Amino acid sequence: MFEHLTALPPDPILRLLAEQRQDNNPQKIDLGVGVYKDAQGATPIMQAVDRAERILLETENTKTYVAPAGNAGFNSSMAKLLMGSDNPVLESGRLTVAQTPGGCGALRMAAEFLNLCKPGNKVWLSDPSWANHHPLLNSAGLETVEYPYYDYENCGIRFDAMMDKLESEAKAGDIVLLHGCCHNPSGADLNQEQWQQVTELCLRKGLLPFIDIAYQGLGDGLDEDAYGVRLMAEKMPELVITASCSKNFGLYRERTGAVMLLSANADQAAVAASRLFSIIRGCYSMPPSHGASVVDLILASDELTTVWQDELAAMRQRIHFLRGAVVDKFVASGIDRDFGFIQQQSGMFSFLGINPAQVHQLKKDFSIYMVDSSRINIAGLSENNIDYFVNSVTQVLKA
Ligand code: LMR
């Protein structure tokens, strides 16, 4: 039976991760996969996580099953983190939350739910979007189409083109996927005014917004980064949200995320919940416990929350610093090219704006790894490698 299958190329981001791990050049720079790194190039366990894990080790007294919805404390804390703790939506009975295996698990469960609502439904994705969005949504049966988003020439958002496309081609009931903050791969985010316009468009045309937020706290701040989520939760009758704790809690391998469905009223929310939990039961039955228990412990403790928020703020500030530093170094290099946009953008990623042959040359000749699109993980830069990076790029661009 298996002989009928043909092999697929590996996921480009994961392939890059494997390639750079095999490279022994001591000067190599990994700007591929979206993982935060400190000044030493390490991705340490956050202190708040470490402390919560120790508490868990001392106090956890069973490994019995949780439930398809996962950890109730985690779900309620994640809803507060995203919505703001005094948001009336939290008490409205309209919100269903399920803990999921990472942001990918959340995306896939949301996609399965949406495909159940309307099989083969259309999801509008930004052009470009995170490389895994298409396969995750398509695998559930949804159709993906694109709206214009990143302007490679001006390094900003093609907002008018985005709005025109959705206005003229999206139909009532279509789904519009938006990045809550720190757009992956471009780092170019909607501003508040643009969020308001997209919300108004979705309301007027009956489009269902689906916000994927995987980097809350790594852009401008925990509350600032949730602006779009909170606005849409206030205005829209229905909303889908997927969130990840991979980056802001550094829990990558613990696969910790959440899916949230905002329904028009509490009765519909009860039905949506029963369907979502049944989809989860039929897929992986229930999520793994560890990462969510850690987040639950942190967010339930004022002290650990402060430790975590301080660490997250330091990560965010470091990324801001690196954005500024790399722009300054390019200016100082004398290269006749404006990289100033890197400082305007937000979160872990930006496109360097070089072509695939140049990306390849950086890998081959300098052991600098980035996705073919020239997306770089800013957090992969450091005081130790930033000069080597800028010199190498400058050489490749001058060649
Ligand atoms: C990324 O975009 O690099 C991260 O979200 C990691 C991944 O799974 O692709």
Side-chain angles (χ1 to χ4, degrees):
M1 183 112 82
F2 298 172
E3 70 271 16
H4 303 302
L5 298 176
T6 52
L8 291 175
D11 175 278
I13 297 176
L14 299 185
R15 190 197 60 210
L16 206 60
L17 183 65
E19 278 176 2
Q20 73 79 21
R21 279 184 177 156
Q22 278 167 11
D23 186 336
N24 294 323
N25 181 348
Q27 286 193 296
K28 78 176 170 188
I29 309 180
D30 174 21
L31 305 177
V33 71
V35 167
Y36 178 80
K37 293 183 191 155
D38 64 15
Q40 284 70 46
T43 306
I45 298 173
M46 291 174 83
Q47 260 183 57
V49 168
D50 184 60
R51 283 177 58 182
E53 284 187 311
R54 287 172 202 279
I55 297 171
L56 202 56
L57 195 64
E58 292 297 319
T59 57
E60 191 175 48
N61 53 14
T62 182
K63 293 288 184 192
T64 189
Y65 291 120
V66 193
N71 179 324
F74 167 86
N75 288 342
S76 129
S77 294
M78 284 297 286
K80 283 188 194 148
L81 195 63
L82 274 162
M83 297 294 174
S85 51
D86 52 359
N87 194 323
V89 124
L90 298 173
E91 302 300 326
S92 66
R94 292 171 53 210
L95 194 64
T96 301
V97 188
Q99 175 208 332
T100 53
C104 284
L107 280 159
R108 182 60 189 265
M109 291 304 99
E112 294 286 346
F113 175 83
L114 290 168
N115 197 56
L116 184 75
C117 297
K118 189 171 170 201
N121 202 4
K122 207 175 253 185
V123 187
W124 291 88
L125 287 177
S126 61
D127 173 22
S129 199
W130 178 44
N132 209 19
H133 273 149
H134 284 278
L136 268 167
L137 300 169
N138 295 149
S139 304
L142 297 168
E143 182 193 348
T144 48
V145 284
E146 293 184 324
Y147 57 82
Y149 189 77
Y150 190 66
D151 181 344
Y152 292 89
E153 242 165 63
N154 298 314
C155 307
I157 298 177
R158 301 173 62 199
F159 188 68
D160 291 345
M162 166 183 175
M163 294 296 277
D164 286 351
K165 182 80 169 186
L166 292 173
E167 183 70 69
S168 58
E169 290 186 31
K171 305 260 178 329
D174 284 3
I175 300 154
V176 182
L177 192 141
L178 300 153
H179 296 225
C181 63
C182 307
H183 185 268
N184 180 3
S186 74
D189 284 334
L190 296 175
N191 63 31
Q192 295 194 354
E193 159 85 35
Q194 290 167 336
W195 272 108
Q196 288 159 18
Q197 289 186 44
V198 176
T199 305
E200 193 275 322
L201 180 96
C202 289
L203 263 177
R204 184 162 45 75
K205 289 191 62 96
L207 309 176
L208 173 63
F210 177 163
I211 305 181
D212 185 21
I213 179 157
Y215 295 85
Q216 189 187 1
L218 286 161
D220 294 326
L222 280 166
D223 291 325
E224 293 83 346
D225 292 348
Y227 176 82
V229 166
R230 292 176 192 179
L231 177 75
M232 286 199 155
E234 184 195 332
K235 306 277 184 205
M236 298 299 307
E238 293 180 338
L239 175 64
V240 175
I241 303 164
T242 50
S244 169
C245 300
S246 293
K247 327 282 172 166
N248 55 6
F249 285 88
L251 282 169
Y252 310 90
R253 63 174 61 174
E254 300 299 351
R255 312 310 301 138
T256 310
V259 57
M260 303 189 193
L261 306 174
L262 184 66
S263 303
N265 56 51
D267 289 343
Q268 285 178 23
V271 176
S274 90
R275 289 301 193 139
L276 178 67
F277 301 154
S278 137
I279 290 168
I280 291 172
R281 175 70 169 146
C283 193
Y284 51 77
S285 186
M286 52 194 78
S289 169
H290 184 76
S293 300
V294 166
V295 172
D296 181 24
L297 272 167
I298 293 172
L299 296 179
S301 149
D302 288 343
E303 190 194 341
L304 287 183
T305 297
T306 305
V307 173
W308 168 67
Q309 287 184 352
D310 289 349
E311 289 181 280
L312 184 60
M315 289 159 66
R316 176 169 66 242
Q317 282 151 17
R318 178 171 164 71
I319 294 174
H320 280 255
F321 161 77
L322 288 167
R323 285 184 175 278
V326 77
V327 172
D328 290 347
K329 299 263 180 196
F330 273 123
V331 171
S333 77
I335 186 139
D336 180 23
R337 190 157 172 159
D338 183 6
F339 286 97
F341 63 90
I342 295 179
Q343 202 160 5
Q344 314 307 322
Q345 296 173 345
S346 184
M348 276 196 193
F349 307 113
S350 281
F351 287 121
L352 202 51
I354 61 175
N355 65 41
Q358 292 165 330
V359 170
H360 186 70
Q361 199 189 341
L362 280 168
K363 178 164 78 175
K364 194 165 83 30
D365 297 347
F366 299 94
S367 295
I368 296 178
Y369 290 80
M370 68 187 72
V371 185
D372 282 349
S373 61
S374 87
R375 184 195 82 165
I376 54 170
N377 171 16
I378 304 283
L381 294 171
S382 75
E383 293 80 342
N384 300 326
N385 66 23
I386 198 162
D387 287 319
Y388 177 70
F389 171 72
V390 169
N391 289 339
S392 309
V393 173
T394 310
Q395 278 185 54
V396 166
L397 285 177
K398 281 185 182 155

